[in-house]
Amino acid sequence: MAKIAFLLADYFEDSEMKNPYDALTQEGHETVIIGIEKGASYKGKNGTTYISDLSAQEADASQFDAIIIPGGGAPEALRVNDEIIDFVKQANEQGKLIAGICHGPQVMISADILNGKSVTCYIGIRDDVKLAGANYLDEEVVVGGNLITSRTPKDEPAFIKEISTKLASLA
């Protein structure tokens, strides 16, 4: 089974964290919540709360098979943290699966890993991903190399299915 990092900060979109986290945990994968601080409590837009297992500074990309970045307001806080960006860059350099939904690709933009990749995202950041060199597609889920992206909570079933399929192929 895979070891999966969920990157989290306050004001995440609750379902975009809860549904992939629960589904992948039920499949038997090891899920680790990484925040800016270890042991910090992060609250979603609708009140769901998670506590981080590790800080980004402690996290080692080589220890993980995948990274998932839920959307909402959290990616805005994550993308300005150097340790988060270094973690994502290292994972990308190692060819690890990196999945982001909604505003999640904002972290990918700041990590400068979108150039030449096909992605989707929340329409409000569409121009940002294009300016980062990505090929934007308005589809429920897009696989571009080691990246998996989706647009909104309604795309979660396809997003989760694609992540599960990709993780199964790693086994």
Side-chain angles (χ1 to χ4, degrees), residues 20-92:
Y21 183 86
D22 290 352
L24 296 168
T25 301
Q26 287 169 7
E27 288 178 13
H29 299 290
E30 181 182 351
T31 50
V32 178
I33 298 171
I34 297 175
I36 295 167
E37 296 177 38
K38 179 181 182 173
S41 177
Y42 295 108
K43 191 172 186 176
K45 289 166 52 174
N46 298 309
T48 307
T49 302
Y50 290 90
I51 303 212
S52 60
D53 300 304
L54 286 175
S55 71
Q57 190 171 10
E58 297 171 299
D60 178 355
S62 68
Q63 301 296 310
F64 293 88
D65 300 297
I67 296 173
I68 298 178
I69 311 165
E76 191 68 35
L78 294 169
R79 74 185 303 195
V80 297
N81 180 275
D82 291 339
E83 286 85 12
I84 291 283
I85 296 306
D86 288 344
F87 179 72
V88 173
K89 282 182 178 180
Q90 290 169 13
N92 187 64

